Coordinates of all heavy atoms in Angstrom, one line a residue:
M287 N -15.6 -5.1 8.9 CA -14.4 -4.5 9.4 C -13.5 -4.0 8.3 O -13.3 -4.7 7.3 CB -13.7 -5.5 10.3 CG -12.3 -5.0 10.8 SD -11.5 -6.2 11.9 CE -10.7 -7.2 10.7
C288 N -12.9 -2.8 8.4 CA -12.0 -2.3 7.5 C -10.6 -2.7 7.9 O -10.3 -2.6 9.1 CB -12.1 -0.8 7.4 SG -13.7 -0.3 6.7
L289 N -9.8 -3.1 6.9 CA -8.4 -3.5 7.2 C -7.5 -2.6 6.5 O -7.5 -2.6 5.2 CB -8.2 -5.0 6.8 CG -6.9 -5.5 7.1 CD1 -6.5 -5.5 8.5 CD2 -6.8 -6.9 6.5
G290 N -6.7 -1.8 7.2 CA -5.7 -1.0 6.5 C -4.4 -1.7 6.7 O -4.0 -2.0 7.9
I291 N -3.7 -1.9 5.7 CA -2.4 -2.6 5.7 C -1.3 -1.6 5.4 O -1.4 -0.9 4.4 CB -2.4 -3.8 4.7 CG1 -3.4 -4.8 5.1 CG2 -1.0 -4.4 4.7 CD1 -3.5 -6.0 4.2
P292 N -0.2 -1.6 6.2 CA 0.9 -0.7 5.9 C 1.6 -1.1 4.6 O 1.8 -2.2 4.2 CB 1.9 -1.0 7.0 CG 1.0 -1.5 8.1 CD 0.0 -2.3 7.5
G293 N 1.9 0.0 3.8 CA 2.7 -0.2 2.6 C 3.6 1.1 2.4 O 3.2 2.1 2.9
Q294 N 4.7 0.9 1.7 CA 5.6 1.9 1.5 C 5.5 2.4 0.1 O 5.6 1.6 -0.9 CB 7.0 1.5 1.8 CG 8.1 2.6 1.8 CD 9.4 2.1 2.2 OE1 9.8 1.0 2.0 NE2 10.2 3.0 2.9
I295 N 5.4 3.7 -0.1 CA 5.3 4.3 -1.4 C 6.7 4.2 -2.0 O 7.7 4.7 -1.5 CB 4.9 5.8 -1.4 CG1 3.5 5.9 -0.7 CG2 4.9 6.4 -2.8 CD1 2.4 5.2 -1.3
I296 N 6.8 3.6 -3.2 CA 8.1 3.4 -3.8 C 8.3 4.2 -5.1 O 9.5 4.4 -5.5 CB 8.4 1.9 -4.1 CG1 7.3 1.2 -4.9 CG2 8.5 1.1 -2.7 CD1 7.6 -0.2 -5.3
E297 N 7.2 4.6 -5.7 CA 7.4 5.4 -6.9 C 6.1 6.1 -7.2 O 5.0 5.7 -6.8 CB 7.9 4.7 -8.1 CG 6.8 3.7 -8.7 CD 7.3 3.0 -10.0 OE1 7.4 3.6 -11.0 OE2 7.6 1.8 -9.9
I298 N 6.1 7.2 -7.9 CA 4.9 7.9 -8.4 C 4.7 7.4 -9.8 O 5.5 7.5 -10.7 CB 5.1 9.5 -8.4 CG1 5.6 9.9 -7.0 CG2 3.9 10.2 -8.9 CD1 4.6 9.6 -5.9
T299 N 3.5 6.9 -10.0 CA 3.2 6.3 -11.4 C 2.4 7.2 -12.3 O 2.6 7.2 -13.5 CB 2.4 5.0 -11.2 OG1 1.2 5.3 -10.4 CG2 3.2 3.9 -10.5
D300 N 1.6 8.1 -11.7 CA 0.8 9.1 -12.5 C 0.5 10.3 -11.6 O -0.5 10.3 -10.9 CB -0.5 8.4 -13.0 CG -1.2 9.3 -14.0 OD1 -1.0 10.5 -14.0 OD2 -2.1 8.7 -14.7
P301 N 1.4 11.3 -11.7 CA 1.2 12.5 -10.8 C -0.1 13.2 -11.1 O -0.7 13.8 -10.2 CB 2.5 13.3 -11.1 CG 3.1 12.8 -12.3 CD 2.6 11.4 -12.5
D302 N -0.5 13.2 -12.4 CA -1.8 13.9 -12.7 C -3.0 13.3 -12.1 O -3.9 14.0 -11.7 CB -2.0 14.0 -14.2 CG -0.9 14.8 -14.9 OD1 -0.4 15.7 -14.3 OD2 -0.6 14.5 -16.1
R303 N -3.0 12.0 -11.9 CA -4.1 11.3 -11.3 C -3.8 11.0 -9.8 O -4.6 10.3 -9.2 CB -4.4 10.0 -12.0 CG -4.9 10.2 -13.4 CD -5.2 8.8 -14.1 NE -5.7 7.8 -13.3 CZ -5.2 6.6 -13.2 NH1 -4.1 6.3 -13.8 NH2 -5.7 5.7 -12.4
L304 N -2.7 11.4 -9.3 CA -2.3 11.2 -7.9 C -2.2 9.7 -7.6 O -2.7 9.3 -6.5 CB -3.2 11.9 -6.9 CG -3.4 13.5 -7.1 CD1 -4.4 14.0 -6.2 CD2 -2.1 14.2 -7.0
M305 N -1.5 9.0 -8.5 CA -1.3 7.6 -8.3 C 0.1 7.2 -8.0 O 1.0 7.9 -8.6 CB -1.8 6.8 -9.5 CG -3.3 7.0 -9.8 SD -4.4 6.4 -8.5 CE -4.2 4.6 -8.7
A306 N 0.3 6.3 -7.1 CA 1.7 5.8 -6.8 C 1.7 4.3 -6.6 O 0.7 3.7 -6.5 CB 2.1 6.5 -5.5
M307 N 3.0 3.8 -6.7 CA 3.2 2.4 -6.5 C 3.6 2.2 -5.0 O 4.5 2.9 -4.5 CB 4.2 1.8 -7.4 CG 4.4 0.3 -7.4 SD 2.9 -0.6 -8.0 CE 2.9 -0.1 -9.7
A308 N 2.9 1.3 -4.4 CA 3.2 1.0 -3.0 C 3.7 -0.5 -2.9 O 3.2 -1.4 -3.6 CB 2.0 1.2 -2.1
D309 N 4.6 -0.7 -2.0 CA 5.1 -2.1 -1.7 C 4.4 -2.5 -0.4 O 4.6 -1.9 0.6 CB 6.6 -2.1 -1.5 CG 7.1 -3.5 -1.3 OD1 6.8 -4.1 -0.3 OD2 7.9 -4.0 -2.1
V310 N 3.6 -3.5 -0.5 CA 2.8 -4.0 0.6 C 3.3 -5.5 0.9 O 2.9 -6.4 0.2 CB 1.3 -4.0 0.4 CG1 0.6 -4.5 1.6 CG2 0.9 -2.6 0.0
S311 N 4.3 -5.6 1.8 CA 4.8 -6.9 2.2 C 5.3 -7.7 0.9 O 5.1 -8.9 0.8 CB 3.8 -7.8 2.9 OG 3.5 -7.2 4.2
G312 N 6.0 -7.0 0.1 CA 6.6 -7.6 -1.1 C 5.7 -7.6 -2.3 O 6.1 -8.0 -3.4
V313 N 4.5 -7.2 -2.2 CA 3.5 -7.1 -3.3 C 3.4 -5.6 -3.7 O 3.1 -4.8 -2.9 CB 2.1 -7.7 -2.9 CG1 1.2 -7.5 -4.1 CG2 2.3 -9.1 -2.5
R314 N 3.6 -5.4 -5.0 CA 3.5 -4.0 -5.5 C 2.0 -3.7 -5.9 O 1.5 -4.6 -6.6 CB 4.4 -3.7 -6.6 CG 5.9 -3.7 -6.1 CD 6.8 -3.4 -7.2 NE 8.1 -3.3 -6.7 CZ 9.1 -2.7 -7.3 NH1 8.9 -2.2 -8.5 NH2 10.3 -2.5 -6.7
R315 N 1.5 -2.6 -5.5 CA 0.1 -2.3 -5.9 C 0.0 -0.8 -6.1 O 0.5 0.0 -5.3 CB -0.8 -2.7 -4.7 CG -2.2 -2.4 -4.9 CD -3.0 -2.9 -3.8 NE -4.4 -2.7 -4.3 CZ -5.4 -3.4 -3.8 NH1 -5.2 -4.2 -2.8 NH2 -6.6 -3.1 -4.2
E316 N -0.7 -0.4 -7.2 CA -0.9 1.0 -7.4 C -2.0 1.5 -6.5 O -3.1 0.9 -6.4 CB -1.2 1.2 -8.9 CG -1.2 2.7 -9.3 CD -1.4 2.9 -10.8 OE1 -2.2 2.2 -11.4 OE2 -0.7 3.8 -11.3
V317 N -1.8 2.7 -5.9 CA -2.8 3.2 -5.0 C -2.9 4.7 -5.3 O -2.0 5.4 -5.8 CB -2.3 3.0 -3.5 CG1 -2.3 1.5 -3.2 CG2 -1.0 3.7 -3.2
S318 N -4.1 5.2 -4.9 CA -4.3 6.7 -4.9 C -3.7 7.3 -3.7 O -3.9 6.8 -2.6 CB -5.8 7.0 -5.0 OG -6.0 8.3 -4.8
V319 N -3.0 8.4 -3.9 CA -2.4 9.1 -2.7 C -3.2 10.5 -2.5 O -2.7 11.3 -1.7 CB -0.9 9.4 -2.9 CG1 -0.1 8.0 -2.9 CG2 -0.6 10.1 -4.2
A320 N -4.3 10.6 -3.1 CA -5.1 11.9 -3.0 C -5.4 12.2 -1.6 O -5.4 13.4 -1.2 CB -6.4 11.8 -3.8
C321 N -5.7 11.2 -0.7 CA -6.1 11.4 0.7 C -4.9 11.8 1.6 O -5.2 12.4 2.6 CB -6.7 10.1 1.3 SG -8.3 9.7 0.5
I322 N -3.7 11.6 1.1 CA -2.6 11.9 2.0 C -1.7 13.0 1.5 O -0.7 13.4 2.1 CB -1.7 10.7 2.3 CG1 -1.1 10.1 1.0 CG2 -2.6 9.6 3.1 CD1 -0.1 9.0 1.3
L323 N -2.0 13.5 0.3 CA -1.1 14.5 -0.3 C -1.1 15.8 0.4 O -2.2 16.4 0.6 CB -1.5 14.7 -1.8 CG -0.5 15.5 -2.6 CD1 0.9 14.9 -2.6 CD2 -1.0 15.7 -4.0
D324 N 0.0 16.2 0.9 CA 0.2 17.5 1.7 C 1.5 18.1 1.3 O 2.4 18.2 2.1 CB 0.0 17.2 3.2 CG 0.0 18.5 4.0 OD1 -0.4 19.6 3.4 OD2 0.4 18.5 5.1
G325 N 1.7 18.5 0.0 CA 2.9 19.0 -0.4 C 3.2 18.4 -1.8 O 2.4 17.8 -2.4
P326 N 4.5 18.5 -2.2 CA 4.9 17.9 -3.5 C 4.7 16.3 -3.5 O 5.0 15.7 -2.5 CB 6.4 18.2 -3.6 CG 6.6 19.3 -2.7 CD 5.6 19.2 -1.6
I327 N 4.1 15.8 -4.6 CA 3.8 14.4 -4.6 C 5.1 13.5 -4.5 O 5.1 12.5 -3.9 CB 3.0 14.0 -5.9 CG1 2.4 12.6 -5.8 CG2 3.9 14.2 -7.2 CD1 1.4 12.3 -6.8
D328 N 6.2 14.0 -5.0 CA 7.5 13.3 -4.9 C 7.9 13.1 -3.5 O 8.7 12.2 -3.2 CB 8.6 13.9 -5.8 CG 8.4 13.8 -7.3 OD1 7.6 12.9 -7.7 OD2 8.9 14.6 -8.0
G329 N 7.5 14.0 -2.6 CA 7.8 13.9 -1.2 C 7.2 12.7 -0.5 O 7.6 12.3 0.6
L330 N 6.3 12.0 -1.2 CA 5.7 10.8 -0.6 C 6.6 9.5 -0.8 O 6.4 8.5 -0.1 CB 4.3 10.5 -1.2 CG 3.3 11.5 -0.9 CD1 2.0 11.2 -1.7 CD2 3.0 11.5 0.6
I331 N 7.5 9.6 -1.7 CA 8.4 8.4 -2.0 C 9.1 8.0 -0.7 O 9.8 8.9 -0.1 CB 9.3 8.6 -3.2 CG1 8.5 8.8 -4.4 CG2 10.3 7.5 -3.3 CD1 9.3 9.2 -5.7
G332 N 9.0 6.8 -0.3 CA 9.7 6.3 0.9 C 8.8 6.4 2.1 O 9.1 5.8 3.2
K333 N 7.7 7.1 2.1 CA 6.7 7.2 3.2 C 6.0 5.9 3.4 O 5.6 5.2 2.4 CB 5.8 8.3 3.0 CG 6.4 9.7 2.9 CD 6.8 10.2 4.2 CE 7.2 11.7 4.0 NZ 7.7 12.2 5.2
W334 N 5.7 5.6 4.6 CA 4.8 4.5 5.0 C 3.4 5.0 5.1 O 3.2 6.0 5.7 CB 5.3 3.8 6.3 CG 6.5 3.0 6.1 CD1 7.8 3.3 6.2 CD2 6.5 1.6 5.7 NE1 8.6 2.3 6.0 CE2 7.8 1.2 5.7 CE3 5.5 0.7 5.5 CZ2 8.2 -0.1 5.3 CZ3 5.9 -0.6 5.1 CH2 7.2 -1.0 5.0
T335 N 2.4 4.2 4.6 CA 1.0 4.6 4.7 C 0.2 3.4 5.0 O 0.6 2.2 4.9 CB 0.6 5.1 3.3 OG1 0.6 4.0 2.3 CG2 1.4 6.2 2.8
L336 N -1.0 3.7 5.5 CA -2.0 2.6 5.7 C -2.9 2.6 4.4 O -3.4 3.7 4.0 CB -2.9 2.9 6.9 CG -2.3 2.5 8.3 CD1 -3.3 2.9 9.4 CD2 -1.9 1.1 8.3
I337 N -3.0 1.4 3.8 CA -3.7 1.3 2.5 C -4.9 0.5 2.7 O -4.9 -0.6 3.4 CB -2.7 0.7 1.5 CG1 -1.5 1.6 1.3 CG2 -3.5 0.4 0.2 CD1 -0.4 1.0 0.4
H338 N -6.0 1.0 2.2 CA -7.3 0.2 2.2 C -8.0 0.4 0.8 O -8.1 1.5 0.4 CB -8.2 0.8 3.3 CG -9.5 0.2 3.4 ND1 -9.7 -1.2 3.7 CD2 -10.7 0.7 3.1 CE1 -11.0 -1.4 3.7 NE2 -11.6 -0.3 3.3
V339 N -8.3 -0.7 0.2 CA -9.0 -0.7 -1.1 C -8.5 0.2 -2.1 O -9.2 1.0 -2.8 CB -10.6 -0.6 -1.0 CG1 -11.1 -1.8 -0.2 CG2 -11.0 0.7 -0.3
G340 N -7.1 0.3 -2.3 CA -6.5 1.0 -3.3 C -6.3 2.5 -3.0 O -5.9 3.3 -3.8
F341 N -6.5 2.9 -1.7 CA -6.2 4.2 -1.3 C -5.3 4.3 -0.1 O -5.4 3.5 0.8 CB -7.5 4.9 -0.8 CG -8.5 5.2 -2.0 CD1 -9.4 4.3 -2.4 CD2 -8.5 6.4 -2.6 CE1 -10.3 4.5 -3.4 CE2 -9.3 6.7 -3.6 CZ -10.2 5.8 -4.1
A342 N -4.3 5.1 -0.2 CA -3.4 5.4 0.9 C -4.2 6.3 1.8 O -4.6 7.4 1.4 CB -2.1 6.0 0.5
M343 N -4.6 5.9 3.0 CA -5.5 6.6 3.9 C -4.8 7.5 4.9 O -5.4 8.5 5.3 CB -6.4 5.6 4.6 CG -7.2 4.7 3.7 SD -8.2 5.6 2.5 CE -9.5 6.3 3.6
S344 N -3.6 7.2 5.3 CA -2.9 8.0 6.2 C -1.4 7.7 6.2 O -1.0 6.5 5.8 CB -3.4 7.8 7.7 OG -3.2 6.5 8.1
V345 N -0.6 8.6 6.5 CA 0.9 8.4 6.6 C 1.2 8.0 8.0 O 0.7 8.5 9.0 CB 1.6 9.7 6.3 CG1 3.1 9.5 6.5 CG2 1.3 10.2 4.9
I346 N 2.0 6.9 8.2 CA 2.5 6.4 9.5 C 4.0 6.3 9.5 O 4.6 6.4 8.4 CB 1.8 5.1 9.8 CG1 2.2 4.0 8.7 CG2 0.3 5.2 9.9 CD1 1.7 2.6 9.0
D347 N 4.6 6.2 10.7 CA 6.0 6.1 10.7 C 6.4 4.6 10.5 O 5.6 3.7 10.7 CB 6.6 6.8 11.9 CG 6.2 6.1 13.2 OD1 6.1 4.9 13.3 OD2 6.0 6.9 14.2
E348 N 7.7 4.4 10.3 CA 8.2 3.1 10.0 C 8.0 2.1 11.2 O 7.6 1.0 11.0 CB 9.7 3.1 9.6 CG 10.2 1.8 9.2 CD 11.6 1.9 8.6 OE1 12.2 3.0 8.6 OE2 12.2 0.9 8.2
A349 N 8.2 2.6 12.4 CA 8.0 1.8 13.6 C 6.5 1.3 13.7 O 6.2 0.2 14.0 CB 8.4 2.5 14.8
E350 N 5.6 2.3 13.5 CA 4.2 1.9 13.5 C 3.8 0.9 12.4 O 3.1 0.0 12.6 CB 3.3 3.2 13.4 CG 1.8 2.9 13.5 CD 1.0 4.2 13.4 OE1 1.5 5.3 13.3 OE2 -0.2 4.0 13.4
A351 N 4.4 1.1 11.2 CA 4.2 0.2 10.1 C 4.6 -1.2 10.5 O 3.9 -2.2 10.3 CB 4.9 0.6 8.9
A352 N 5.9 -1.3 11.1 CA 6.4 -2.6 11.5 C 5.5 -3.3 12.5 O 5.3 -4.5 12.5 CB 7.8 -2.5 11.9
A353 N 5.2 -2.5 13.5 CA 4.3 -3.1 14.6 C 3.0 -3.5 14.1 O 2.5 -4.6 14.5 CB 4.2 -2.0 15.7
T354 N 2.4 -2.7 13.2 CA 1.1 -3.1 12.6 C 1.2 -4.4 11.8 O 0.4 -5.3 11.9 CB 0.5 -2.0 11.8 OG1 0.4 -0.8 12.6 CG2 -0.8 -2.3 11.2
L355 N 2.2 -4.5 11.0 CA 2.4 -5.7 10.2 C 2.6 -6.9 11.0 O 2.0 -8.0 10.8 CB 3.6 -5.5 9.2 CG 3.3 -4.7 8.0 CD1 4.6 -4.4 7.2 CD2 2.3 -5.4 7.0
E356 N 3.4 -6.7 12.1 CA 3.7 -7.9 13.0 C 2.4 -8.3 13.6 O 2.1 -9.5 13.7 CB 4.7 -7.5 14.0 CG 5.1 -8.6 15.0 CD 6.2 -8.2 15.9 OE1 7.0 -7.3 15.6 OE2 6.2 -8.8 17.0
A357 N 1.6 -7.4 14.1 CA 0.3 -7.7 14.8 C -0.7 -8.4 13.8 O -1.3 -9.4 14.1 CB -0.3 -6.4 15.4
L358 N -0.7 -7.8 12.6 CA -1.7 -8.4 11.6 C -1.2 -9.8 11.2 O -2.1 -10.7 11.1 CB -1.7 -7.5 10.4 CG -2.5 -6.2 10.5 CD1 -2.3 -5.3 9.3 CD2 -3.9 -6.4 10.9
H359 N 0.1 -10.0 11.0 CA 0.6 -11.3 10.6 C 0.3 -12.3 11.8 O 0.0 -13.5 11.6 CB 2.0 -11.3 10.3 CG 2.3 -10.7 8.9 ND1 1.9 -11.3 7.7 CD2 2.8 -9.6 8.5 CE1 2.2 -10.6 6.7 NE2 2.8 -9.5 7.2
G360 N 0.6 -11.8 13.0 CA 0.3 -12.7 14.2 C -1.1 -13.1 14.3 O -1.4 -14.2 14.7
L361 N -2.0 -12.2 14.0 CA -3.4 -12.5 14.1 C -3.9 -13.3 12.8 O -5.0 -13.9 12.8 CB -4.2 -11.3 14.2 CG -4.0 -10.5 15.5 CD1 -4.7 -9.2 15.5 CD2 -4.5 -11.3 16.7
G362 N -3.1 -13.3 11.8 CA -3.5 -14.0 10.6 C -4.5 -13.2 9.7 O -4.9 -13.7 8.7
E363 N -4.9 -12.0 10.1 CA -5.9 -11.2 9.4 C -5.3 -10.7 8.0 O -6.1 -10.5 7.1 CB -6.4 -10.0 10.2 CG -7.2 -10.4 11.4 CD -7.7 -9.2 12.1 OE1 -7.6 -8.1 11.6 OE2 -8.1 -9.4 13.3
A364 N -4.0 -10.5 7.9 CA -3.5 -9.9 6.7 C -3.2 -11.0 5.7 O -3.2 -10.7 4.5 CB -2.2 -9.2 7.0
Q365 N -3.1 -12.2 6.1 CA -2.7 -13.3 5.2 C -3.7 -13.4 4.0 O -3.3 -13.5 2.8 CB -2.6 -14.6 5.9 CG -1.4 -14.6 6.9 CD -0.1 -14.3 6.2 OE1 0.2 -14.7 5.2 NE2 0.7 -13.4 6.9
E366 N -5.0 -13.4 4.3 CA -5.9 -13.6 3.2 C -5.9 -12.4 2.3 O -5.9 -12.6 1.0 CB -7.3 -13.8 3.8 CG -8.4 -14.0 2.7 CD -9.8 -14.2 3.3 OE1 -9.9 -14.2 4.5 OE2 -10.7 -14.3 2.5
T367 N -5.8 -11.2 2.8 CA -5.8 -10.0 2.0 C -4.5 -10.0 1.1 O -4.6 -9.7 -0.1 CB -5.8 -8.7 2.8 OG1 -7.1 -8.8 3.6 CG2 -5.8 -7.5 2.0
L368 N -3.4 -10.3 1.7 CA -2.1 -10.3 0.9 C -2.2 -11.4 -0.2 O -1.7 -11.2 -1.3 CB -0.9 -10.6 1.8 CG -0.6 -9.4 2.8 CD1 0.4 -9.8 3.8 CD2 -0.1 -8.2 2.0
E369 N -2.8 -12.5 0.1 CA -2.9 -13.6 -0.9 C -3.8 -13.2 -2.0 O -3.5 -13.4 -3.2 CB -3.4 -14.9 -0.2 CG -3.4 -16.1 -1.2 CD -2.0 -16.4 -1.7 OE1 -1.0 -16.3 -1.0 OE2 -2.0 -16.8 -2.9
Q370 N -4.9 -12.5 -1.7 CA -5.7 -11.9 -2.8 C -5.0 -10.9 -3.6 O -5.1 -10.9 -4.9 CB -7.0 -11.3 -2.2 CG -7.9 -12.3 -1.6 CD -9.0 -11.6 -0.8 OE1 -9.0 -10.4 -0.5 NE2 -10.0 -12.4 -0.4
M371 N -4.1 -10.1 -3.0 CA -3.3 -9.1 -3.8 C -2.3 -9.8 -4.7 O -2.1 -9.4 -5.8 CB -2.6 -8.2 -2.8 CG -3.6 -7.2 -2.1 SD -2.8 -6.2 -0.9 CE -1.6 -5.3 -1.9
R372 N -1.7 -10.9 -4.1 CA -0.7 -11.7 -4.9 C -1.4 -12.3 -6.1 O -0.9 -12.3 -7.3 CB -0.1 -12.7 -4.1 CG 1.0 -12.2 -3.2 CD 1.7 -13.3 -2.4 NE 2.6 -12.7 -1.5 CZ 2.4 -12.6 -0.2 NH1 1.2 -13.0 0.3 NH2 3.3 -12.0 0.6
E373 N -2.6 -12.9 -5.9 CA -3.3 -13.5 -7.0 C -3.7 -12.4 -8.1 O -3.7 -12.7 -9.3 CB -4.6 -14.2 -6.5 CG -4.2 -15.4 -5.7 CD -3.5 -16.5 -6.4 OE1 -3.8 -16.8 -7.6 OE2 -2.5 -17.0 -5.9
G374 N -4.2 -11.3 -7.6 CA -4.5 -10.2 -8.5 C -3.3 -9.7 -9.3 O -3.4 -9.5 -10.5
A375 N -2.1 -9.6 -8.6 CA -0.9 -9.2 -9.3 C -0.5 -10.3 -10.4 O -0.1 -9.9 -11.5 CB 0.2 -9.0 -8.3
K376 N -0.7 -11.5 -10.0 CA -0.4 -12.6 -11.0 C -1.3 -12.5 -12.2 O -0.8 -12.7 -13.3 CB -0.5 -14.0 -10.3 CG 0.6 -14.3 -9.4 CD 0.3 -15.7 -8.8 CE 1.3 -16.0 -7.6 NZ 1.0 -17.3 -7.0
A377 N -2.6 -12.3 -12.0 CA -3.5 -12.2 -13.0 C -3.2 -11.0 -14.0 O -3.3 -11.1 -15.2 CB -4.9 -12.0 -12.5
L378 N -2.8 -9.9 -13.4 CA -2.4 -8.7 -14.2 C -1.1 -9.0 -15.0 O -1.1 -8.6 -16.2 CB -2.1 -7.5 -13.3 CG -3.4 -6.8 -12.7 CD1 -3.0 -5.7 -11.7 CD2 -4.3 -6.3 -13.8
E379 N -0.2 -9.7 -14.4 CA 1.1 -10.0 -15.1 C 0.8 -11.0 -16.3 O 1.4 -10.9 -17.3 CB 2.1 -10.6 -14.2 CG 2.7 -9.6 -13.2 CD 3.5 -10.3 -12.1 OE1 3.8 -11.5 -12.2 OE2 4.0 -9.6 -11.2
A380 N -0.1 -11.9 -16.0 CA -0.5 -12.9 -17.1 C -1.2 -12.2 -18.2 O -1.0 -12.6 -19.4 CB -1.4 -14.0 -16.5
G381 N -2.0 -11.2 -17.9 CA -2.7 -10.5 -19.0 C -1.9 -9.5 -19.7 O -2.3 -9.0 -20.8
A382 N -0.6 -9.2 -19.2 CA 0.2 -8.1 -19.9 C 0.9 -8.6 -21.1 O 1.1 -9.7 -21.4 CB 1.2 -7.6 -18.8

């Protein structure tokens, strides 16, 4: 099963490589925005997206993002993925 988790694009990290920083439930993760780019890359800042394995797969509205996060948290499916992301972020910080 593929799990897309809502995340909000908060900054563009590498416009040449189409990379951006997304906030996923308080965890920041760099993602590719190549699949969702439809205009200037800076126009993605503040947009909500569904993120799967480092790719922003589609743009969604804030209400859909909130409902999806609530459903995933309620089902417990997002918890393991978010914990893995937190551990990965900690490992990256420790190596920096």
Side-chain angles (χ1 to χ4, degrees):
M287 174 175 86
C288 295
L289 180 63
I291 297 180
Q294 187 175 33
I295 304 298
I296 57 173
E297 71 177 287
I298 304 304
T299 56
D300 187 341
D302 294 332
R303 291 181 37 237
L304 303 178
M305 299 298 288
M307 188 64 64
D309 184 296
V310 181
S311 294
V313 177
R314 291 180 173 201
R315 178 174 190 162
E316 191 172 40
V317 299
S318 170
V319 294
C321 296
I322 62 167
L323 190 59
D324 185 26
I327 193 167
D328 289 340
L330 293 174
I331 296 174
K333 299 280 186 184
W334 284 91
T335 66
L336 279 180
I337 297 172
H338 177 67
V339 294
F341 290 87
M343 302 303 291
S344 63
V345 175
I346 58 175
D347 64 36
E348 187 172 0
E350 184 178 354
T354 302
L355 283 170
E356 184 177 333
L358 289 173
H359 286 291
L361 294 172
E363 291 182 14
Q365 295 303 318
E366 182 178 357
T367 301
L368 290 171
E369 186 57 36
Q370 290 171 350
M371 290 174 62
R372 284 187 185 96
E373 292 300 316
K376 286 179 189 175
L378 287 174
E379 289 173 7

